[in-house]
Amino acid sequence: MLTGGPSIVAGDLNDVAWSHTTRLFQRISGCLDPRRGRGMFNTFHADYPIFRWPLDHIFHEASFTLVRLERLPHIGSDHFPVLAELCFEPAAEARQVTPEPAQEDLEEAQEKIDEGRRAARDLATARSGHRLSHGSSFSEFRRT
């Protein structure tokens, strides 16, 4: 579902693979999670073995196939590095089952986008410290 060519989304998303938000992202994007069916890839917190979660993700469109996926040894960060080797194989799209969004998913995603835009506008307004007082012109700002 991502447009604009073959896509890979990767990084520390501060969310687990089984969360509602991550699953919604997959359905909306149509991206695959190469970890599925291959075990847990707990990447955080590298310093505490009993408190580890899979917060670092790699998602890809169906035009990629997985060659290798590996959590690498500790390198001093609080996250373990992950190595993913993907092969661009456009014909694989026909063989791989991708997540599909329901209408409710699309509506929920749009609501989240709208909420984010409102929050960004509110934050920008709050940071500017300016607002028009009642009866003022645009050139007469009152600092709040």
Side-chain angles (χ1 to χ4, degrees):
M1 281 244 195
L2 291 175
T3 58
S7 299
I8 298 169
V9 177
D12 173 6
L13 303 182
N14 285 324
D15 203 4
V16 292
W18 56 86
S19 77
H20 175 74
T21 306
T22 300
R23 289 180 178 182
L24 178 64
F25 165 76
Q26 283 192 268
R27 291 189 303 271
I28 297 294
S29 69
C31 284
L32 301 171
D33 183 345
R35 297 169 300 177
R36 280 193 88 158
R38 294 178 175 85
M40 292 286 280
F41 287 82
N42 294 331
T43 56
F44 177 85
H45 195 287
D47 295 326
Y48 302 106
I50 62 170
F51 296 110
R52 290 190 178 155
W53 301 99
L55 300 184
D56 299 278
H57 300 272
I58 300 167
F59 298 104
H60 62 85
E61 288 187 314
S63 59
F64 291 94
T65 57
L66 180 66
V67 176
R68 179 171 59 145
L69 182 63
E70 179 179 346
R71 186 185 81 182
L72 300 176
H74 190 285
I75 59 169
S77 170
D78 57 349
H79 291 255
F80 286 101
V82 175
L83 171 69
E85 184 178 347
L86 301 171
C87 178
F88 180 59
E89 187 181 339
E93 286 186 65
R95 298 189 312 268
Q96 300 197 72
V97 179
T98 58
E100 293 285 332
Q103 184 60 36
E104 300 84 41
D105 294 330
L106 298 172
E107 292 167 3
E108 181 181 353
Q110 188 60 55
E111 286 172 18
K112 289 183 182 297
I113 290 167
D114 294 343
E115 286 172 16
R117 286 182 176 151
R118 281 192 300 275
R121 274 194 306 269
D122 292 347
L123 182 60
T125 300
R127 284 189 175 162
S128 72
H130 295 280
R131 73 173 184 189
L132 287 174
S133 61
H134 183 65
S136 65
S137 69
F138 284 104
S139 62
E140 299 172 38
F141 286 102
R142 181 180 65 164
R143 194 163 269 304
T144 56

